[in-house]
Amino acid sequence: MTDRESLLMKQAFEKALKNKAIVEKDPYRLSYHLMPPVGFLNDPNGLIKYQGVYHVFYQWNPFAATHGAKFWGHYTSVDLVHWREEPIALAPSEWYEKDGCYSGSAIEAGGKLHLFYTGNVKHEDGTRGTYQCLALSTDGIYFEKKGPIVRLPDGYTTHFRDPKVWRKNDRWYMIVGAQTLAGEGRAVLFTSVDLTHWEELGAVAGSGMNGLGDFGYMWECPDLITLNDRDLLLVSPQGLEPDGHFYRNLYQSGYFVGQLDYETARFRHGAFTELDRGFDFYAPQTFTDESGRRILFAWMGMTDDSEQYQPTIANNWLHALTIPRELQLQNDKIYQKPVAELRKLRKKEVRMDHVALEGDQLSLKDMHSAELILDFAEPVVGGFEVYFRREAFLTYDPGSKEVRLQRRNVRTNRMEERVCSIDSLTKLHIFLDHSSLEIFVNDGQEMFTARYFPDPAESGVILAGRAELGVKMWDLG
Ligand code: FRU
């Protein structure tokens, strides 16, 4: 470890220690989501199960609740439910990463944990450098940096980052998010046999490629995965214009389904589908564990014009990750399910098998940190509403077949909404935490993820409308 690296790690550690009391007393601190110990968190990184332990690394600025020279913070778990904070994995100490150890991924090879990440460099004249780097560990906790292994290829700007590595047909592959010199988003494929020498195979998808029209000026955090023998490219494009109820956030995250020809690096794919229809979901990453499940974590946040108004900043922290979700593919559509392990969090079960609402209301108490399952006996034909602690609400209108989530915007103080269309409403599975909502509609056919900041004293959830349903709920606090 270099002197600079140990100094940065020490400074970050001291910052977290000094702020521990103030951060932990924040009423919006979440009870079962991963958060930064202090400062700013964004993307999940390096997701892997290694030597029997789940590892989640994350983009972290320990020194302020804003972007900055990112570290890789680190949590581990044996069950995806109880997490342990580990020593910092990467600090931006070397010349090739001095302005941030940016996002990347993890694989195991030869018994070693390999982290691939982007070294971000901002020069004094305003230009940037970008280096795809490697770091190795034998225990999953302490990492030895090997420096840059992929340089910026011709044809791209220095917005070239977020390597995701996987193995296929006895070779290694890496996909990187990119921007062409003409300002178009791309996902660029590389291959290697030894993990240190990488050959560029070319862009597999991007704005203006494969039948896509204009599709953003930069693609971040690509992830190429296989589900049911189909190849999926998950990616976070920047620069899409809102289109009806689609693309309402500043940046988007979604996927293309198709078939990748690994020989020619040609990816035939269909249309882009958003992974989440809520307000706070970006830069997802996935991994598989030994059970073969494909598990996703995302950043439950977004850098937009309201981010800096979030009330947690007063207590020196900002943002969190989503709960882990299992991905399944049905008819080329991703369905998201909360991982089964989360049932371990359930306490104090309440069950109401037959609830008939006829324009009246049902009040549920103590819903600060809770799980709620609403099973509709028949598809809902009257209207249905859920009010969350007087600060957000979900409505289903069977006439338009639209599900609508509204919450108060922390900057404007006005309600804002996100909307998606479904065929009929059969189920709502909702994870509430002190300042977050994750709503699985019809077993994860559609998702709404949002942060919200209700009066901490307000813990009631109200169900209203005309519907017959079964209600199950648990305290997760
Ligand atoms: C996505 C992103 C990545 C980058 C990282 C920096 O949110 O912009 O492209 O690597 O965040 O923190």
Side-chain angles (χ1 to χ4, degrees), residues 38 63 117 202 235 265 348 382 413 473:
V38 64
F63 303 124
Y117 65 99
V235 69
K348 299 190 219 161
N413 213 27
M473 54 196 244

Side-chain angles (χ1 to χ4, degrees), residues 329-346:
L329 194 70
Q330 293 176 31
N331 297 324
D332 275 0
K333 167 119 184 45
I334 288 183
Y335 282 65
Q336 297 178 49
K337 321 265 175 198
V339 296
E341 287 90 332
L342 292 170
R343 291 178 198 150
K344 280 196 188 175
L345 289 166
R346 293 174 172 176

Side-chain angles (χ1 to χ4, degrees), residues 343-360:
R343 291 178 198 150
K344 280 196 188 175
L345 289 166
R346 293 174 172 176
K347 285 176 288 197
K348 299 190 219 161
E349 179 174 81
V350 175
R351 263 182 100 119
M352 289 170 265
D353 287 341
H354 302 288
V355 175
L357 292 173
E358 293 169 8
D360 49 342

